[in-house]
Tab-separated table of all heavy atoms in Angstrom:
chain	number	residue	atom	x	y	z
A	110	MET	N	2.050	9.243	-19.871
A	110	MET	CA	2.499	8.236	-18.918
A	110	MET	C	2.666	8.887	-17.553
A	110	MET	O	3.279	9.934	-17.416
A	110	MET	CB	3.817	7.650	-19.406
A	110	MET	CG	4.350	6.506	-18.555
A	110	MET	SD	3.358	5.035	-18.624
A	110	MET	CE	4.374	3.956	-19.578
A	111	ALA	N	2.155	8.234	-16.523
A	111	ALA	CA	2.254	8.766	-15.166
A	111	ALA	C	3.668	8.630	-14.617
A	111	ALA	O	4.422	7.750	-15.020
A	111	ALA	CB	1.271	8.017	-14.261
A	112	ASP	N	4.025	9.502	-13.688
A	112	ASP	CA	5.330	9.432	-13.029
A	112	ASP	C	5.346	8.384	-11.925
A	112	ASP	O	6.394	7.873	-11.563
A	112	ASP	CB	5.692	10.781	-12.417
A	112	ASP	CG	5.943	11.841	-13.470
A	112	ASP	OD1	6.311	11.474	-14.609
A	112	ASP	OD2	5.772	13.030	-13.163
A	113	VAL	N	4.173	8.107	-11.379
A	113	VAL	CA	4.052	7.133	-10.295
A	113	VAL	C	3.044	6.072	-10.718
A	113	VAL	O	1.984	6.376	-11.256
A	113	VAL	CB	3.574	7.810	-8.988
A	113	VAL	CG1	3.366	6.777	-7.896
A	113	VAL	CG2	4.571	8.864	-8.540
A	114	LYS	N	3.388	4.834	-10.432
A	114	LYS	CA	2.499	3.715	-10.750
A	114	LYS	C	2.145	3.022	-9.448
A	114	LYS	O	3.028	2.747	-8.614
A	114	LYS	CB	3.211	2.747	-11.696
A	114	LYS	CG	2.406	1.551	-12.105
A	114	LYS	CD	3.237	0.741	-13.112
A	114	LYS	CE	2.575	-0.516	-13.559
A	114	LYS	NZ	3.433	-1.258	-14.526
A	115	VAL	N	0.870	2.767	-9.239
A	115	VAL	CA	0.408	2.032	-8.063
A	115	VAL	C	-0.162	0.715	-8.555
A	115	VAL	O	-1.154	0.701	-9.294
A	115	VAL	CB	-0.651	2.824	-7.276
A	115	VAL	CG1	-1.128	2.008	-6.077
A	115	VAL	CG2	-0.088	4.162	-6.820
A	116	LYS	N	0.455	-0.360	-8.152
A	116	LYS	CA	0.018	-1.679	-8.592
A	116	LYS	C	-0.761	-2.342	-7.466
A	116	LYS	O	-0.272	-2.443	-6.333
A	116	LYS	CB	1.226	-2.535	-8.967
A	116	LYS	CG	0.859	-3.859	-9.583
A	116	LYS	CD	2.093	-4.552	-10.137
A	116	LYS	CE	1.711	-5.839	-10.846
A	116	LYS	NZ	2.895	-6.520	-11.396
A	117	VAL	N	-1.975	-2.778	-7.779
A	117	VAL	CA	-2.819	-3.456	-6.800
A	117	VAL	C	-2.466	-4.940	-6.832
A	117	VAL	O	-2.791	-5.641	-7.789
A	117	VAL	CB	-4.319	-3.255	-7.112
A	117	VAL	CG1	-5.176	-3.908	-6.036
A	117	VAL	CG2	-4.650	-1.783	-7.255
A	118	LEU	N	-1.787	-5.401	-5.814
A	118	LEU	CA	-1.383	-6.807	-5.781
A	118	LEU	C	-2.542	-7.681	-5.330
A	118	LEU	O	-3.268	-7.330	-4.392
A	118	LEU	CB	-0.192	-6.994	-4.836
A	118	LEU	CG	1.070	-6.205	-5.196
A	118	LEU	CD1	2.197	-6.547	-4.229
A	118	LEU	CD2	1.499	-6.459	-6.636
A	119	ASP	N	-2.737	-8.791	-6.006
A	119	ASP	CA	-3.783	-9.722	-5.595
A	119	ASP	C	-3.541	-10.158	-4.161
A	119	ASP	O	-2.427	-10.560	-3.788
A	119	ASP	CB	-3.784	-10.959	-6.499
A	119	ASP	CG	-4.348	-10.675	-7.882
A	119	ASP	OD1	-4.855	-9.557	-8.105
A	119	ASP	OD2	-4.290	-11.591	-8.725
A	120	ASN	N	-4.583	-10.080	-3.344
A	120	ASN	CA	-4.539	-10.520	-1.944
A	120	ASN	C	-3.424	-9.857	-1.141
A	120	ASN	O	-2.887	-10.455	-0.201
A	120	ASN	CB	-4.381	-12.049	-1.869
A	120	ASN	CG	-5.395	-12.754	-2.722
A	120	ASN	OD1	-6.557	-12.369	-2.774
A	120	ASN	ND2	-4.964	-13.770	-3.431
A	121	GLY	N	-3.065	-8.632	-1.527
A	121	GLY	CA	-1.966	-7.964	-0.851
A	121	GLY	C	-2.040	-6.462	-0.942
A	121	GLY	O	-3.112	-5.886	-1.179
A	122	PRO	N	-0.905	-5.808	-0.765
A	122	PRO	CA	-0.854	-4.349	-0.644
A	122	PRO	C	-0.899	-3.603	-1.971
A	122	PRO	O	-0.979	-4.203	-3.048
A	122	PRO	CB	0.503	-4.130	0.030
A	122	PRO	CG	1.348	-5.230	-0.528
A	122	PRO	CD	0.433	-6.418	-0.622
A	123	LEU	N	-0.831	-2.300	-1.845
A	123	LEU	CA	-0.672	-1.404	-2.984
A	123	LEU	C	0.823	-1.151	-3.125
A	123	LEU	O	1.451	-0.583	-2.222
A	123	LEU	CB	-1.411	-0.084	-2.742
A	123	LEU	CG	-2.916	-0.189	-2.522
A	123	LEU	CD1	-3.490	1.172	-2.127
A	123	LEU	CD2	-3.609	-0.712	-3.765
A	124	LEU	N	1.384	-1.591	-4.233
A	124	LEU	CA	2.814	-1.433	-4.467
A	124	LEU	C	3.041	-0.152	-5.262
A	124	LEU	O	2.561	-0.026	-6.388
A	124	LEU	CB	3.363	-2.635	-5.228
A	124	LEU	CG	4.864	-2.658	-5.452
A	124	LEU	CD1	5.612	-2.687	-4.122
A	124	LEU	CD2	5.229	-3.881	-6.282
A	125	VAL	N	3.746	0.799	-4.660
A	125	VAL	CA	3.989	2.100	-5.297
A	125	VAL	C	5.331	2.068	-6.008
A	125	VAL	O	6.355	1.758	-5.389
A	125	VAL	CB	3.964	3.228	-4.242
A	125	VAL	CG1	4.227	4.574	-4.895
A	125	VAL	CG2	2.646	3.229	-3.493
A	126	GLU	N	5.311	2.372	-7.280
A	126	GLU	CA	6.539	2.450	-8.065
A	126	GLU	C	6.740	3.901	-8.462
A	126	GLU	O	5.969	4.455	-9.244
A	126	GLU	CB	6.441	1.550	-9.293
A	126	GLU	CG	6.285	0.084	-8.937
A	126	GLU	CD	6.078	-0.815	-10.143
A	126	GLU	OE1	6.087	-0.327	-11.278
A	126	GLU	OE2	5.880	-2.022	-9.926
A	127	GLY	N	7.737	4.538	-7.869
A	127	GLY	CA	7.973	5.963	-8.072
A	127	GLY	C	8.056	6.631	-6.720
A	127	GLY	O	7.892	5.995	-5.683
A	128	THR	N	8.315	7.904	-6.734
A	128	THR	CA	8.492	8.638	-5.491
A	128	THR	C	7.194	9.330	-5.098
A	128	THR	O	6.635	10.106	-5.867
A	128	THR	CB	9.605	9.692	-5.649
A	128	THR	OG1	10.808	9.028	-6.028
A	128	THR	CG2	9.826	10.443	-4.348
A	129	ILE	N	6.728	9.026	-3.886
A	129	ILE	CA	5.551	9.688	-3.337
A	129	ILE	C	5.868	10.138	-1.918
A	129	ILE	O	6.841	9.673	-1.316
A	129	ILE	CB	4.291	8.791	-3.312
A	129	ILE	CG1	4.509	7.594	-2.384
A	129	ILE	CG2	3.898	8.366	-4.708
A	129	ILE	CD1	3.244	6.826	-2.087
A	130	GLU	N	5.027	11.014	-1.404
A	130	GLU	CA	5.127	11.434	-0.015
A	130	GLU	C	3.861	10.949	0.681
A	130	GLU	O	2.760	11.242	0.221
A	130	GLU	CB	5.244	12.959	0.073
A	130	GLU	CG	5.435	13.477	1.474
A	130	GLU	CD	5.594	14.991	1.513
A	130	GLU	OE1	4.787	15.694	0.882
A	130	GLU	OE2	6.536	15.457	2.153
A	131	VAL	N	4.034	10.199	1.762
A	131	VAL	CA	2.895	9.713	2.531
A	131	VAL	C	2.799	10.552	3.800
A	131	VAL	O	3.775	10.640	4.558
A	131	VAL	CB	3.055	8.216	2.885
A	131	VAL	CG1	1.863	7.716	3.688
A	131	VAL	CG2	3.228	7.385	1.610
A	132	VAL	N	1.647	11.179	4.030
A	132	VAL	CA	1.467	12.044	5.187
A	132	VAL	C	0.288	11.563	6.025
A	132	VAL	O	-0.648	10.949	5.518
A	132	VAL	CB	1.238	13.521	4.770
A	132	VAL	CG1	2.430	14.069	4.021
A	132	VAL	CG2	-0.012	13.656	3.933
A	133	ASP	N	0.354	11.827	7.333
A	133	ASP	CA	-0.758	11.457	8.212
A	133	ASP	C	-1.823	12.555	8.202
A	133	ASP	O	-1.692	13.556	7.483
A	133	ASP	CB	-0.256	11.142	9.630
A	133	ASP	CG	0.322	12.346	10.368
A	133	ASP	OD1	0.061	13.499	9.955
A	133	ASP	OD2	1.029	12.131	11.377
A	134	ALA	N	-2.860	12.386	9.003
A	134	ALA	CA	-3.983	13.317	9.006
A	134	ALA	C	-3.604	14.710	9.498
A	134	ALA	O	-4.327	15.680	9.261
A	134	ALA	CB	-5.126	12.763	9.865
A	135	GLU	N	-2.458	14.799	10.196
A	135	GLU	CA	-2.002	16.105	10.688
A	135	GLU	C	-0.967	16.734	9.771
A	135	GLU	O	-0.402	17.788	10.080
A	135	GLU	CB	-1.437	15.941	12.105
A	135	GLU	CG	-2.505	15.488	13.095
A	135	GLU	CD	-1.938	15.197	14.475
A	135	GLU	OE1	-0.703	15.167	14.642
A	135	GLU	OE2	-2.752	14.988	15.390
A	136	GLY	N	-0.678	16.054	8.672
A	136	GLY	CA	0.264	16.593	7.698
A	136	GLY	C	1.712	16.187	7.929
A	136	GLY	O	2.608	16.658	7.233
A	137	ASN	N	1.949	15.316	8.911
A	137	ASN	CA	3.310	14.832	9.179
A	137	ASN	C	3.696	13.758	8.175
A	137	ASN	O	2.891	12.884	7.853
A	137	ASN	CB	3.402	14.259	10.596
A	137	ASN	CG	3.024	15.286	11.639
A	137	ASN	OD1	3.580	16.370	11.686
A	137	ASN	ND2	2.032	14.949	12.459
A	138	THR	N	4.930	13.818	7.720
A	138	THR	CA	5.401	12.873	6.710
A	138	THR	C	5.970	11.614	7.350
A	138	THR	O	6.762	11.689	8.289
A	138	THR	CB	6.499	13.539	5.846
A	138	THR	OG1	5.952	14.719	5.260
A	138	THR	CG2	6.974	12.608	4.750
A	139	PHE	N	5.545	10.471	6.835
A	139	PHE	CA	6.136	9.205	7.272
A	139	PHE	C	7.529	9.104	6.677
A	139	PHE	O	7.726	9.375	5.495
A	139	PHE	CB	5.281	8.022	6.795
A	139	PHE	CG	3.978	7.886	7.529
A	139	PHE	CD1	2.840	8.529	7.072
A	139	PHE	CD2	3.892	7.115	8.673
A	139	PHE	CE1	1.636	8.405	7.742
A	139	PHE	CE2	2.700	6.983	9.355
A	139	PHE	CZ	1.564	7.632	8.891
A	140	GLN	N	8.497	8.676	7.487
A	140	GLN	CA	9.874	8.542	7.017
A	140	GLN	C	10.104	7.200	6.329
A	140	GLN	O	10.980	7.062	5.497
A	140	GLN	CB	10.855	8.695	8.189
A	140	GLN	CG	10.784	10.068	8.833
A	140	GLN	CD	11.065	11.189	7.847
A	140	GLN	OE1	12.033	11.145	7.099
A	140	GLN	NE2	10.196	12.192	7.813
A	141	GLN	N	9.303	6.222	6.711
A	141	GLN	CA	9.446	4.894	6.119
A	141	GLN	C	8.826	4.872	4.723
A	141	GLN	O	7.894	5.615	4.433
A	141	GLN	CB	8.740	3.866	7.001
A	141	GLN	CG	8.816	2.448	6.467
A	141	GLN	CD	8.032	1.473	7.334
A	141	GLN	OE1	7.775	1.721	8.490
A	141	GLN	NE2	7.668	0.352	6.743
A	142	LYS	N	9.341	4.015	3.884
A	142	LYS	CA	8.761	3.800	2.562
A	142	LYS	C	8.352	2.341	2.471
A	142	LYS	O	8.847	1.502	3.208
A	142	LYS	CB	9.782	4.116	1.468
A	142	LYS	CG	10.242	5.559	1.459
A	142	LYS	CD	11.225	5.785	0.318
A	142	LYS	CE	11.909	7.108	0.399
A	142	LYS	NZ	11.224	8.280	0.211
A	143	GLY	N	7.470	2.053	1.567
A	143	GLY	CA	7.088	0.655	1.368
A	143	GLY	C	5.715	0.548	0.771
A	143	GLY	O	5.066	1.552	0.457
A	144	ALA	N	5.269	-0.671	0.600
A	144	ALA	CA	3.949	-0.936	0.048
A	144	ALA	C	2.887	-0.496	1.052
A	144	ALA	O	3.079	-0.620	2.263
A	144	ALA	CB	3.813	-2.416	-0.258
A	145	LEU	N	1.782	-0.010	0.539
A	145	LEU	CA	0.700	0.475	1.392
A	145	LEU	C	-0.314	-0.633	1.655
A	145	LEU	O	-0.801	-1.280	0.715
A	145	LEU	CB	0.014	1.676	0.736
A	145	LEU	CG	0.918	2.888	0.526
A	145	LEU	CD1	0.192	3.952	-0.295
A	145	LEU	CD2	1.365	3.468	1.858
A	146	CYS	N	-0.633	-0.824	2.928
A	146	CYS	CA	-1.590	-1.859	3.336
A	146	CYS	C	-2.983	-1.514	2.821
A	146	CYS	O	-3.417	-0.374	2.872
A	146	CYS	CB	-1.628	-1.954	4.862
A	146	CYS	SG	-2.862	-3.105	5.503
A	147	ARG	N	-3.680	-2.533	2.348
A	147	ARG	CA	-5.088	-2.338	2.006
A	147	ARG	C	-5.969	-3.387	2.653
A	147	ARG	O	-7.154	-3.469	2.393
A	147	ARG	CB	-5.303	-2.271	0.494
A	147	ARG	CG	-5.065	-3.531	-0.260
A	147	ARG	CD	-5.233	-3.301	-1.759
A	147	ARG	NE	-5.122	-4.542	-2.474
A	147	ARG	CZ	-6.159	-5.284	-2.884
A	147	ARG	NH1	-7.388	-4.861	-2.692
A	147	ARG	NH2	-5.964	-6.421	-3.510
A	148	CYS	N	-5.382	-4.199	3.553
A	148	CYS	CA	-6.180	-5.225	4.221
A	148	CYS	C	-6.628	-4.793	5.612
A	148	CYS	O	-7.559	-5.361	6.165
A	148	CYS	CB	-5.393	-6.529	4.322
A	148	CYS	SG	-4.091	-6.532	5.584
A	149	GLY	N	-5.928	-3.843	6.217
A	149	GLY	CA	-6.277	-3.374	7.554
A	149	GLY	C	-5.694	-4.223	8.667
A	149	GLY	O	-5.967	-3.981	9.846
A	150	LEU	N	-4.895	-5.222	8.355
A	150	LEU	CA	-4.355	-6.126	9.374
A	150	LEU	C	-2.946	-5.761	9.830
A	150	LEU	O	-2.434	-6.324	10.795
A	150	LEU	CB	-4.340	-7.565	8.829
A	150	LEU	CG	-5.709	-8.137	8.461
A	150	LEU	CD1	-5.553	-9.485	7.780
A	150	LEU	CD2	-6.583	-8.255	9.700
A	151	THR	N	-2.301	-4.828	9.170
A	151	THR	CA	-0.926	-4.470	9.512
A	151	THR	C	-0.811	-3.859	10.906
A	151	THR	O	-1.725	-3.175	11.377
A	151	THR	CB	-0.344	-3.492	8.474
A	151	THR	OG1	1.031	-3.241	8.799
A	151	THR	CG2	-1.100	-2.167	8.461
A	152	ALA	N	0.320	-4.088	11.539
A	152	ALA	CA	0.638	-3.437	12.811
A	152	ALA	C	1.546	-2.247	12.558
A	152	ALA	O	2.061	-1.650	13.507
A	152	ALA	CB	1.312	-4.432	13.751
A	153	ASN	N	1.741	-1.924	11.284
A	153	ASN	CA	2.638	-0.836	10.906
A	153	ASN	C	1.963	0.100	9.901
A	153	ASN	O	2.553	0.469	8.888
A	153	ASN	CB	3.936	-1.417	10.306
A	153	ASN	CG	4.996	-0.374	10.130
A	153	ASN	OD1	5.077	0.589	10.889
A	153	ASN	ND2	5.818	-0.538	9.105
A	154	ALA	N	0.711	0.437	10.185
A	154	ALA	CA	-0.065	1.275	9.269
A	154	ALA	C	0.627	2.616	9.012
A	154	ALA	O	1.239	3.157	9.935
A	154	ALA	CB	-1.455	1.521	9.851
A	155	PRO	N	0.557	3.090	7.800
A	155	PRO	CA	-0.218	2.591	6.670
A	155	PRO	C	0.551	1.633	5.768
A	155	PRO	O	0.109	1.360	4.653
A	155	PRO	CB	-0.559	3.887	5.931
A	155	PRO	CG	0.666	4.725	6.098
A	155	PRO	CD	1.141	4.417	7.504
A	156	PHE	N	1.636	1.079	6.264
A	156	PHE	CA	2.459	0.227	5.417
A	156	PHE	C	2.165	-1.258	5.655
A	156	PHE	O	1.820	-1.666	6.765
A	156	PHE	CB	3.951	0.506	5.680
A	156	PHE	CG	4.314	1.935	5.429
A	156	PHE	CD1	4.421	2.827	6.482
A	156	PHE	CD2	4.485	2.408	4.143
A	156	PHE	CE1	4.726	4.168	6.261
A	156	PHE	CE2	4.793	3.745	3.908
A	156	PHE	CZ	4.904	4.629	4.965
A	157	CYS	N	2.324	-2.010	4.617
A	157	CYS	CA	2.148	-3.461	4.689
A	157	CYS	C	3.291	-4.076	5.487
A	157	CYS	O	4.449	-3.704	5.307
A	157	CYS	CB	2.136	-4.031	3.261
A	157	CYS	SG	2.157	-5.831	3.185
A	158	ASN	N	2.950	-5.022	6.367
A	158	ASN	CA	4.007	-5.740	7.095
A	158	ASN	C	3.908	-7.245	6.856
A	158	ASN	O	4.514	-8.025	7.576
A	158	ASN	CB	3.947	-5.428	8.590
A	158	ASN	CG	2.743	-6.048	9.273
A	158	ASN	OD1	1.849	-6.556	8.615
A	158	ASN	ND2	2.712	-5.991	10.594
A	159	GLY	N	3.117	-7.628	5.868
A	159	GLY	CA	2.988	-9.038	5.525
A	159	GLY	C	1.866	-9.751	6.256
A	159	GLY	O	1.633	-10.942	6.028
A	160	ALA	N	1.160	-9.056	7.138
A	160	ALA	CA	0.092	-9.688	7.915
A	160	ALA	C	-1.065	-10.174	7.044
A	160	ALA	O	-1.871	-10.996	7.486
A	160	ALA	CB	-0.433	-8.719	8.982
A	161	HIS	N	-1.140	-9.694	5.829
A	161	HIS	CA	-2.228	-10.082	4.928
A	161	HIS	C	-2.119	-11.543	4.481
A	161	HIS	O	-3.110	-12.145	4.090
A	161	HIS	CB	-2.216	-9.181	3.677
A	161	HIS	CG	-0.965	-9.322	2.880
A	161	HIS	ND1	0.131	-8.506	3.081
A	161	HIS	CD2	-0.608	-10.229	1.939
A	161	HIS	CE1	1.105	-8.886	2.253
A	161	HIS	NE2	0.681	-9.924	1.553
A	162	ALA	N	-0.928	-12.100	4.526
A	162	ALA	CA	-0.671	-13.424	3.952
A	162	ALA	C	-1.629	-14.480	4.495
A	162	ALA	O	-1.665	-14.748	5.693
A	162	ALA	CB	0.776	-13.827	4.221
A	163	GLY	N	-2.406	-15.042	3.604
A	163	GLY	CA	-3.338	-16.094	3.971
A	163	GLY	C	-4.587	-15.634	4.687
A	163	GLY	O	-5.442	-16.442	5.051
A	164	LYS	N	-4.720	-14.324	4.897
A	164	LYS	CA	-5.860	-13.801	5.657
A	164	LYS	C	-6.687	-12.789	4.891
A	164	LYS	O	-7.673	-12.257	5.400
A	164	LYS	CB	-5.362	-13.147	6.946
A	164	LYS	CG	-4.633	-14.093	7.858
A	164	LYS	CD	-4.108	-13.351	9.069
A	164	LYS	CE	-3.208	-14.270	9.884
A	164	LYS	NZ	-2.226	-13.534	10.635
A	165	PHE	N	-6.267	-12.449	3.684
A	165	PHE	CA	-6.932	-11.388	2.931
A	165	PHE	C	-7.081	-11.834	1.489
A	165	PHE	O	-6.091	-12.212	0.852
A	165	PHE	CB	-6.086	-10.110	3.016
A	165	PHE	CG	-6.598	-8.948	2.205
A	165	PHE	CD1	-7.785	-8.337	2.527
A	165	PHE	CD2	-5.873	-8.472	1.132
A	165	PHE	CE1	-8.250	-7.243	1.795
A	165	PHE	CE2	-6.320	-7.385	0.401
A	165	PHE	CZ	-7.512	-6.772	0.732
A	166	GLU	N	-8.299	-11.795	1.000
A	166	GLU	CA	-8.545	-12.198	-0.388
A	166	GLU	C	-9.254	-11.073	-1.102
A	166	GLU	O	-10.370	-10.708	-0.753
A	166	GLU	CB	-9.384	-13.478	-0.450
A	166	GLU	CG	-8.650	-14.703	0.048
A	166	GLU	CD	-9.445	-15.976	-0.154
A	166	GLU	OE1	-10.394	-15.969	-0.960
A	166	GLU	OE2	-9.131	-16.964	0.505
A	167	ASN	N	-8.588	-10.528	-2.078
A	167	ASN	CA	-9.182	-9.485	-2.903
A	167	ASN	C	-8.298	-9.323	-4.129
A	167	ASN	O	-7.100	-9.092	-4.002
A	167	ASN	CB	-9.293	-8.174	-2.133
A	167	ASN	CG	-10.000	-7.114	-2.947
A	167	ASN	OD1	-9.357	-6.343	-3.647
A	167	ASN	ND2	-11.304	-7.067	-2.840
A	168	ALA	N	-8.875	-9.487	-5.278
A	168	ALA	CA	-8.107	-9.404	-6.523
A	168	ALA	C	-8.893	-8.569	-7.536
A	168	ALA	O	-9.450	-9.097	-8.489
A	168	ALA	CB	-7.815	-10.794	-7.060
A	169	PRO	N	-8.947	-7.251	-7.327
A	169	PRO	CA	-9.728	-6.404	-8.230
A	169	PRO	C	-9.095	-6.315	-9.624
A	169	PRO	O	-7.878	-6.421	-9.769
A	169	PRO	CB	-9.711	-5.034	-7.539
A	169	PRO	CG	-8.491	-5.043	-6.705
A	169	PRO	CD	-8.288	-6.476	-6.282
A	170	ARG	N	-9.939	-6.138	-10.618
A	170	ARG	CA	-9.484	-5.973	-11.996
A	170	ARG	C	-10.104	-4.702	-12.576
A	170	ARG	O	-11.279	-4.412	-12.322
A	170	ARG	CB	-9.912	-7.162	-12.859
A	170	ARG	CG	-9.240	-8.467	-12.472
A	170	ARG	CD	-7.746	-8.428	-12.758
A	170	ARG	NE	-7.072	-9.671	-12.483
A	170	ARG	CZ	-6.466	-9.976	-11.329
A	170	ARG	NH1	-6.485	-9.097	-10.323
A	170	ARG	NH2	-5.851	-11.112	-11.169
A	171	ALA	N	-9.312	-3.981	-13.336
A	171	ALA	CA	-9.826	-2.786	-14.012
A	171	ALA	C	-10.855	-3.220	-15.042
A	171	ALA	O	-10.723	-4.265	-15.671
A	171	ALA	CB	-8.674	-2.042	-14.680
A	172	LYS	N	-11.874	-2.392	-15.190
A	172	LYS	CA	-12.935	-2.740	-16.156
A	172	LYS	C	-12.931	-1.750	-17.286
A	172	LYS	O	-12.512	-0.661	-17.169
A	172	LYS	CB	-14.291	-2.750	-15.463
A	172	LYS	CG	-14.349	-3.828	-14.447
A	172	LYS	CD	-15.699	-3.869	-13.736
A	172	LYS	CE	-15.670	-5.027	-12.761
A	172	LYS	NZ	-16.560	-4.897	-11.678
B	98	FES	S1	-1.791	-5.550	2.769
B	98	FES	FE1	-0.107	-6.415	3.761
B	98	FES	S2	-0.534	-6.216	5.841
B	98	FES	FE2	-2.228	-5.349	4.851
């Protein structure tokens, strides 16, 4: 069993359950925590800010 679970929400972000460290391209750690945006519409990258609502459709399923 994994220590961290990432749930792909239909038409929404990646919901991380567990403790992770999110770092930028220069290795700096983000202090904020939250769901990770996967729609590209957030104004608070890399975190979801709800901008996906009604504007992003994607519901992947594991095969
Ligand atoms: S997934 Fe929520 S703003 Fe992108």
Side-chain angles (χ1 to χ4, degrees):
M110 184 67 108
D112 292 335
V113 176
K114 180 177 177 180
V115 179
K116 187 171 184 180
V117 183
L118 300 183
D119 286 353
N120 309 319
L123 300 173
L124 184 61
V125 179
E126 297 175 2
T128 302
I129 64 168
E130 183 178 48
V131 180
V132 298
D133 66 17
E135 296 175 350
N137 302 305
T138 302
F139 288 90
Q140 297 302 312
Q141 179 183 338
K142 298 181 191 292
L145 298 173
C146 176
R147 68 183 185 98
C148 75
L150 299 173
T151 184
N153 191 31
F156 302 99
C157 172
N158 71 350
H161 63 268
K164 299 177 188 153
F165 176 66
E166 292 186 18
N167 184 268
R170 294 293 183 266
K172 295 180 178 155

